[in-house]
Amino acid sequence: MVKVKICGIKTAADVAVLNRQKPDYAGFVFYPLSKRYVSLIIAARLKKLLDARIKTVGVFVNAPVEEIAAAAERGIIDLVQLHGDEDNAYIARLKRLCPLPIIKAVRVQDENDIKRAAYYDCDYLLFDTYSQSAYGGTGRQFNVQLLSGVNINKPYFLAGGLNAQNVRQALKLAQPYAVDVSGGVETAGSKDEKKIQVFIKQAKG
C-alpha cells in the first residue's frame, strides 16, 4: 500500500492532527526561504509530541552537511530530503556524517529529468514539479504520466500539486512508494484535518 507524507508541519496543532490521522511520514521544512520553515529548536519540540510510529523527514535545500548531521544526531529527523542542487559529491560528504536514509528530490520538466535521476546515490527519489523561481511547494502538478515510461531504479515519492481530488488518478498513472502533500491539505495556509483525512483515505483506498 502506498505511503503518505504530510509535509510542512509547523505547530503543535499540526502534530495533534497527524497523531489522529496517522500518515506514514511528517515533513519538517528547514529551508529558511520557505513559508513552511521551522527551526531545529521548534522541530525538536514537535518531534517529542509526534506519535513515534510517524517518521520525520527533514527537508533541506543546499544546506551545510553539518546542519543536517546535527538534526540527525539530536533525533529530530528519521530521513533526510535534499530538495536543492545537491550532487553526488555532496551526498557522499553527507553520508560520512549522517547515517540516515536520503531522499533526493528531482524537479521534472520532461522525461529526461526522470532518466537523469538514476545518477543520484540516494535511497529514495522524489519527483516534484519544476519551477524556475522555487525549489518546491509550487502547488502545481507535472505530467505524472511521464513516470510510467521510464524504468526508475529506486523507490520514489510523488509530489507536486497533489490533493484529495487528484491523488487517485496520479496513482493510476504511476507506482510511487509514497505520495507527498503539503498545500493540497491546507486551508488559508494551515493544515486542515478534514483534507488530510480525505487525502489519506483516497491515497490508501
Side-chain angles (χ1 to χ4, degrees):
M1 184 180 290
V2 68
K3 299 193 181 293
V4 173
K5 173 173 171 258
I6 308 294
C7 203
I9 302 307
K10 297 191 296 184
T11 67
D14 292 342
V15 170
V17 168
L18 265 56
N19 285 344
R20 289 190 291 269
Q21 299 305 325
K22 300 197 169 37
D24 303 283
Y25 298 98
F28 294 134
V29 178
F30 296 119
Y31 180 45
L33 298 182
S34 170
K35 62 186 176 184
R36 300 183 180 95
Y37 167 76
V38 291
S39 67
L40 289 178
I41 293 171
I42 296 297
R45 293 175 188 159
L46 297 178
K47 170 74 170 178
K48 290 178 181 176
L49 300 174
L50 187 68
D51 187 317
R53 291 169 291 185
I54 302 171
K55 300 299 182 186
T56 51
V57 180
V59 181
F60 298 88
V61 176
N62 303 328
V65 292
E66 294 80 9
E67 178 185 330
I68 301 174
E73 286 171 14
R74 292 173 61 184
I76 300 169
I77 57 174
D78 301 304
L79 297 91
V80 176
Q81 180 176 321
L82 303 177
H83 217 98
D85 306 305
E86 304 89 357
D87 58 13
N88 275 347
Y90 177 102
I91 292 171
R93 291 198 304 275
L94 177 60
K95 285 183 172 182
R96 287 195 288 270
L97 294 177
C98 175
L100 299 184
I102 295 171
I103 307 164
K104 178 66 183 93
V106 176
R107 295 176 292 151
V108 177
Q109 293 185 87
D110 55 39
E111 193 174 278
N112 288 327
D113 295 317
I114 300 168
K115 291 177 178 176
R116 281 193 290 267
Y119 154 84
Y120 291 110
D121 185 18
C122 56
D123 300 283
Y124 302 91
L125 293 164
L126 182 147
F127 294 108
D128 198 358
T129 304
Y130 177 84
S131 168
Q132 195 170 6
S133 60
Y135 281 104
T138 65
R140 293 186 289 106
Q141 262 191 304
F142 66 93
N143 181 5
V144 176
Q145 198 157 6
L146 292 172
L147 295 170
S148 64
V150 180
N151 181 26
I152 301 167
N153 65 345
K154 292 181 178 68
Y156 65 90
F157 289 68
L158 177 61
L162 294 177
N163 55 50
Q165 288 68 49
N166 64 22
V167 68
R168 288 190 82 130
Q169 180 61 26
L171 290 172
K172 289 178 182 177
L173 299 172
Q175 287 78 46
Y177 164 78
V179 287
D180 186 341
V181 65
S182 189
V185 291
E186 291 178 352
T187 298
S190 296
K191 293 293 183 276
D192 183 315
E193 181 160 11
K194 183 62 177 176
K195 288 183 178 180
I196 290 174
Q197 181 184 42
V198 176
F199 182 89
I200 292 173
K201 183 178 180 181
Q202 290 294 316
K204 292 181 177 285

